Amino acid sequence: MFNFLKGVVGGSGGGQKDLPYNIGDPYPSAWSSWSHFRGTSKDDGSPVSIFSLSGSNPQDGRLAAGRNGVKRLRTVRHPNILSFLYSTEVETVDGSGTKVTIYIVTEPAMPLSEKIKELSLEGTQRDEYYAWGLHQIAKAVSFLNNDCKLVHGNVCLESVVVTQTLDWKLHAFDVLSEYDGTSGTATGPMLPYEWLVGSQYKSVELAKSDWVAIRKSPPWAIDSWGLGCLIYEIFSGMKLGKTEELRNTASIPKSLLPDYQRLLSSTPSRRLNASKLIENSEYFQNKLVDTIHFMEILSLKDSVEKDTFFRKLPNLTEQLPRQIVLKKLFPLLTSALEYGSAAAPALTALLKIGSWLSAEEYTLKVLPTIIKLFASNDRAIRVALLQHIDQYGESLSARVVDEQVYPHVATGFVDTSSILRELTLKSMLIMAPKLSQRNLSGSLLKYLSKLQVDEEPAIRTNTTILLGNIASFLNDGTRKRVLINAFTVRALRDTFSPARGAGVMALCATSSYYDTTEIATRILPNIVVLTIDPDSDVRSKVFQAVDQFMQILKQSNEKSNAGDTAHAGSLGLASMPGNAGLLEWAMSSLTLKGKPSDQAPIAASNSVRPVTTTTAASSETPSMAPVRVSSSSDFADAPAPPSPTSTDGWGEIENGIHEEQYSDKDGWDDIEPLEEPKPSSVLANIQAAQKRPVSQPKPQAATSLRSKSTVKAVSTKDEDDDLWGSIAVPTPKIASKSLKVKTSGAVEDDDPWAAIAAPPPTTKVKPLSAGRGRGTKAAAPKLGAQRINRTSSSGMQ
């Protein structure tokens, strides 16, 4: 029965063999007769602290006090009290007798005196860290005295340990006992194991064993005295030798000195309560204490307070002790981000603190949090992740990017926010090299094809730039089907001049992927027409591009003439100096730097008709002729050789991946082959019209021209939108009169509703509102009159 009770009170294990922990090296100091060891778990190798106390006599008083400490530590739980994990009591028999050893396993911690030496803090940073530690110990003492009505009885430097997060925690509960001052019948010692406490740490009444005075004193009297001893030992850097040394206050900070003196008051009832020390002491009001305290109660703060705090945090971390920021503040920050209690600006602080870590620590502590955040639905978090991807993107492995990050990032391509679409686009410059061909060709290119017709001109421009930068990661078949059409059919025909310039530069940057046939028949014919582009920057880039591609063709010709045909059709950018490296991003969609006239909306994405490169402002100038982009040259006598792409201009991407989410029309596959140029006679007429006065055409030609543009003749504004209006022949007046007297029979031939229409009225037509609600007979004449009137007015113009 005794062994059973001893197992319940003193331990939770059967012996040292069953101890599921490995005992490591000891620390040089520990409280009283205890020994403090490093240890690890046998299950997962996680670090722990192991305390052991040995005695030769099972009835030894130290062992009895140790069993009391085990029981108290197991039952008392508080964030600032050392966490209990396991305990056991072992009996070993040797030649001289029986030896009893008590083991306590706790969370990993080291003695405070050793940690202070290790940190080696000085000046303001030392005072701030000491303030934070004393703040934690004061909360633990206040919890014992005020909430639990317990007296620790042994608060000193040796009874405090420091965890891996640099938190100060109270332990050594061997002397701890209930406060029985409220019981009038209590007699004898209130602290049965007070003899374990050194005389230098005992208050006046405890040194005299005046239990009557102790019971009349408040519960915090003894432990407040211990707090004063702890403060002295911390700031003096020496272990307290005798009680009189407490009068030496030279090392005590001035802001803490009044409270220090009240803690060590000779009158027990006047000693300062630990809770009042926390609330009123000026010493605890510093940046470190306030920052950590805010993080610990973050869930209680509103969104405005969080946003303000996290915006200041990156600069604040520079002023705090770095070790404390890394080991205490950083874990709080990662936890807050993972569980959603932190605002988006917290990511900036996380990455800044993470930059202080080694590569191994960064991979273990920062990247897992970032990967989890990619799954967040908070748009602000997603924006912050993409804005800082250059800081952590290179550290992400290809497998993680392809399987865990990209599926979440890809949703930003179709987001309604232009900022998020643009940031998602730019992030691909870092992610694309780590994507598999399935995601690269089967998913990413489809998103980019849509972004090339985005409503934001800067996004269209940067999409072209991205394609040029990631071309090297595409397979040969995909490059053949995508690059030329993406850069010529869409980029070079964009109404936004920087987009056209980006298309030209992308062609130059990817010139090594084109053979001479493609250059001669598909690239040069499309860029040459831009030599008369309204934008001077585009023209300058075009001339450079023409020179580059012509040089490639010349080199190919020279090799062909020399008999070296092996590489004649594959000369590219590698032979042209000054074009290596990535293309630069054009601009942000938030701050467009182009001319106002360059920011006209792009043509409809489903249209495959040639697009003019004139701007909205230039189209109003009669002398500026529109430029038609064509895929084949007008001077080529022989038909162009067949393109390596499919007949629809893009074809299906041959990478073995079947389309799952989008139809063929979602990608570049909807772009049809470029139209053949119009007959040369038409171009000759256009050129002649620009050089001589316009002559009157034949009546038949006027009638034919007018019949094709009947709808556009409704208003003068539509005439301005007609790109051919500046060289069109004016409508003769004679033809207008002939249309005005058009008979009703002619109307009946064209209008299927003419048979039931009423005859034209002989008087002026009244407004429709005048006949509202007067029956069906009055409605018929108005319908017929309006029909005839519209036809007549069209003919008049």
Side-chain angles (χ1 to χ4, degrees):
M1 178 62 70
F2 173 76
N3 291 333
F4 171 77
L5 292 176
K6 182 174 66 174
V8 172
V9 176
S12 56
Q16 188 174 9
K17 295 180 181 179
D18 299 329
L19 187 67
Y21 299 93
N22 298 315
I23 300 178
D25 299 331
Y27 287 103
S29 62
W31 181 79
S32 186
S33 300
W34 287 88
S35 298
H36 186 181
F37 297 89
R38 300 173 179 88
T40 57
S41 173
K42 292 181 179 179
D43 295 333
D44 55 7
S46 58
V48 296
S49 282
I50 300 176
F51 297 85
S52 66
L53 177 65
S54 300
S56 57
N57 184 359
Q59 305 300 324
D60 187 355
R62 294 182 181 275
L63 292 177
R67 296 187 185 103
N68 177 66
V70 173
K71 181 182 70 173
R72 299 295 186 177
L73 190 62
R74 178 188 296 172
T75 56
V76 178
R77 300 282 181 168
H78 188 267
N80 303 120
I81 292 177
L82 191 63
S83 297
F84 173 89
L85 298 179
Y86 184 85
S87 69
T88 188
E89 187 170 330
V90 180
E91 293 185 4
T92 56
V93 180
D94 54 17
S96 59
T98 302
K99 182 179 179 181
V100 179
T101 305
I102 299 174
Y103 292 98
I104 304 177
V105 182
T106 68
E107 62 179 315
M110 68 184 302
L112 175 59
S113 57
E114 300 299 322
K115 178 58 70 174
I116 290 176
K117 294 177 183 178
E118 180 183 299
L119 293 177
S120 301
L121 297 176
E122 296 179 355
T124 304
Q125 291 189 348
R126 186 201 71 164
D127 291 341
E128 289 181 345
Y129 180 59
Y130 287 177
W132 169 245
L134 288 173
H135 186 270
Q136 291 180 300
I137 298 302
K139 286 196 295 184
V141 172
S142 176
F143 170 74
L144 294 175
N145 298 158
N146 300 309
D147 299 335
C148 302
K149 302 301 180 184
L150 297 173
V151 179
H152 185 277
N154 187 36
V155 179
C156 62
L157 185 66
E158 291 182 345
S159 63
V160 178
V161 291
V162 182
T163 63
Q164 292 180 328
T165 57
L166 299 184
D167 290 315
W168 292 18
K169 296 200 173 185
L170 188 65
H171 79 120
F173 282 7
D174 295 18
V175 185
L176 189 141
S177 181
E178 289 83 2
Y179 173 75
D180 59 0
T182 57
S183 176
T185 60
T187 57
M190 188 174 68
L191 303 177
Y193 304 109
E194 55 86 19
W195 51 271
L196 291 172
V197 181
S199 59
Q200 70 271 30
Y201 297 111
K202 291 183 178 180
S203 59
V204 178
E205 66 277 10
L206 184 60
K208 297 179 180 179
S209 299
D210 189 353
W211 299 111
V212 175
I214 292 174
R215 287 188 170 91
K216 291 181 180 180
S217 303
W220 59 83
I222 295 177
D223 290 338
S224 293
W225 181 278
L227 273 176
C229 297
L230 174 63
I231 292 173
Y232 173 82
E233 290 183 313
I234 290 173
F235 287 101
S236 65
M238 300 182 297
K239 186 177 179 180
L240 183 63
K242 52 184 179 180
T243 306
E244 288 74 14
E245 293 178 358
L246 295 172
R247 300 180 182 276
N248 185 5
T249 61
S251 60
I252 307 299
K254 294 182 179 180
S255 57
L256 185 60
L257 184 58
D259 297 319
Y260 170 77
Q261 293 172 338
R262 293 183 61 188
L263 288 170
L264 297 174
S265 175
S266 58
T267 304
S269 60
R270 298 182 61 182
R271 289 175 191 156
L272 184 63
N273 191 342
S275 63
K276 300 297 181 181
L277 176 67
I278 298 171
E279 296 173 2
N280 302 327
S281 179
E282 180 184 351
Y283 181 70
F284 296 127
Q285 298 175 5
N286 60 58
K287 290 177 291 188
L288 179 62
V289 175
D290 294 341
T291 301
I292 298 178
H293 181 66
F294 188 97
M295 289 296 301
E296 289 181 338
I297 60 172
L298 187 63
S299 59
L300 303 179
K301 302 295 183 178
D302 58 37
S303 58
V304 177
E305 291 176 312
K306 292 180 182 179
D307 189 75
T308 303
F309 172 78
F310 286 118
R311 291 187 186 279
K312 296 179 180 179
L313 187 58
N315 293 331
L316 190 60
T317 54
E318 295 284 354
Q319 307 171 21
L320 302 177
R322 178 153 299 188
Q323 289 295 326
I324 302 172
V325 171
L326 292 175
K327 295 185 177 181
K328 176 61 182 178
L329 190 59
F330 181 72
L332 292 175
L333 191 58
T334 55
S335 177
L337 280 168
E338 289 181 11
Y339 293 101
S341 58
L347 184 64
T348 304
L350 177 73
L351 295 175
K352 182 170 185 177
I353 298 174
S355 64
W356 301 339
L357 300 173
S358 63
E360 295 77 11
E361 289 178 321
Y362 190 89
T363 303
L364 294 175
K365 297 180 180 180
V366 179
L367 292 185
T369 300
I370 292 176
I371 294 172
K372 291 179 182 178
L373 290 178
F374 273 108
S376 174
N377 294 325
D378 188 346
R379 183 173 289 175
I381 292 289
R382 294 166 60 192
V383 168
L385 284 170
L386 296 176
Q387 285 177 332
H388 300 91
I389 193 172
D390 57 326
Q391 299 182 29
Y392 61 84
E394 297 298 333
S395 302
L396 295 172
S397 65
R399 182 176 180 180
V400 168
V401 171
D402 192 61
E403 297 179 1
Q404 301 182 46
V405 176
Y406 175 76
H408 298 294
V409 175
T411 60
F413 286 120
V414 294
D415 197 274
T416 57
S417 171
S418 61
I419 298 177
L420 193 54
R421 292 199 306 274
E422 183 185 30
L423 290 173
T424 304
L425 174 68
K426 291 184 176 182
S427 69
M428 290 301 106
L429 189 60
I430 295 177
M431 291 190 182
K434 302 182 179 183
L435 293 179
S436 63
Q437 283 298 320
R438 179 181 182 86
N439 281 330
L440 192 63
S441 300
S443 174
L444 177 59
L445 290 183
K446 291 182 179 180
Y447 287 121
L448 296 184
S449 70
K450 290 187 175 182
L451 291 183
Q452 263 205 315
V453 291
D454 194 90
E455 61 182 4
E456 291 289 341
I459 293 180
R460 301 196 301 267
T461 305
N462 287 331
T463 302
T464 301
I465 294 173
L466 177 65
L467 275 172
N469 286 330
I470 68 173
S472 60
F473 307 112
L474 303 175
N475 56 48
D476 293 337
T478 303
R479 283 196 291 261
K480 291 287 186 181
R481 286 165 172 79
V482 172
L483 294 184
I484 294 181
N485 283 322
F487 297 151
T488 60
V489 178
R490 286 189 176 173
L492 297 187
R493 300 180 182 183
D494 200 299
T495 56
F496 189 51
S497 60
R500 299 194 297 273
V504 175
M505 297 306 296
L507 285 169
C508 294
T510 57
S511 62
S512 60
Y513 304 121
Y514 312 130
D515 55 33
T516 54
T517 301
E518 291 174 323
I519 293 175
T521 61
R522 304 183 64 194
I523 296 178
L524 281 176
N526 281 283
I527 62 175
V528 165
V529 295
L530 295 183
T531 55
I532 56 173
D533 191 272
D535 189 276
S536 60
D537 185 57
V538 174
R539 295 196 301 269
S540 175
K541 292 177 180 178
V542 167
F543 285 118
Q544 295 177 6
V546 170
D547 292 340
Q548 175 176 333
F549 286 113
M550 289 301 298
Q551 183 66 25
I552 294 175
L553 294 178
K554 290 179 181 179
Q555 292 180 5
S556 176
N557 179 61
E558 293 174 357
K559 287 182 177 289
S560 299
N561 294 337
D564 184 7
T565 60
H567 303 285
S570 60
L571 295 175
L573 183 63
S575 61
M576 298 301 297
N579 289 294
L582 297 177
L583 297 173
E584 296 291 339
W585 294 120
M587 61 194 67
S588 171
S589 60
L590 301 180
T591 56
L592 297 179
K593 298 180 180 179
K595 302 175 182 178
S597 61
D598 294 336
Q599 300 179 19
I602 192 171
S605 60
N606 293 332
S607 175
V608 295
R609 61 181 175 83
V611 184
T612 62
T613 58
T614 54
T615 62
S618 61
S619 63
E620 299 177 358
T621 306
S623 62
M624 179 63 69
V627 179
R628 184 179 183 276
V629 180
S630 176
S631 62
S632 60
S633 60
D634 295 332
F635 52 82
D637 297 332
S643 171
T645 62
S646 60
T647 56
D648 63 354
W650 285 101
E652 184 179 359
I653 299 176
E654 296 179 355
N655 56 358
I657 302 172
H658 300 287
E659 296 179 357
E660 299 176 357
Q661 300 178 359
Y662 305 98
S663 64
D664 293 340
K665 295 182 179 181
D666 291 337
W668 282 291
D669 297 340
D670 60 348
I671 300 179
E672 298 178 359
L674 299 176
E675 298 178 0
E676 295 297 329
K678 292 184 178 180
S680 58
S681 60
V682 177
L683 296 178
N685 292 336
I686 295 175
Q687 295 174 357
Q690 293 175 333
K691 296 179 179 179
R692 67 174 183 269
V694 178
S695 61
Q696 293 291 341
K698 297 180 181 180
Q700 294 179 357
T703 304
S704 175
L705 179 62
R706 185 168 57 255
S707 62
K708 293 182 180 180
S709 58
T710 303
V711 178
K712 291 187 177 180
V714 176
S715 63
T716 58
K717 181 178 180 181
D718 292 338
E719 294 178 358
D720 295 337
D721 295 336
D722 186 3
L723 297 179
W724 299 96
S726 59
I727 61 174
V729 180
T731 305
K733 297 182 179 179
I734 300 176
S736 300
K737 293 181 179 179
S738 63
L739 290 178
K740 183 175 182 181
V741 296
K742 190 174 183 180
T743 62
S744 61
V747 178
E748 292 175 359
D749 295 337
D750 298 334
D751 189 357
W753 299 97
I756 62 173
T762 57
T763 60
K764 186 177 181 181
V765 180
K766 296 181 180 180
L768 288 177
S769 59
R772 183 175 300 173
R774 297 191 180 184
T776 57
K777 293 183 179 180
K782 293 177 181 179
L783 178 61
Q786 289 178 342
R787 183 70 177 183
I788 294 173
N789 188 35
R790 272 197 298 271
T791 304
S792 300
S793 62
S794 176
M796 286 295 294
Q797 300 182 22

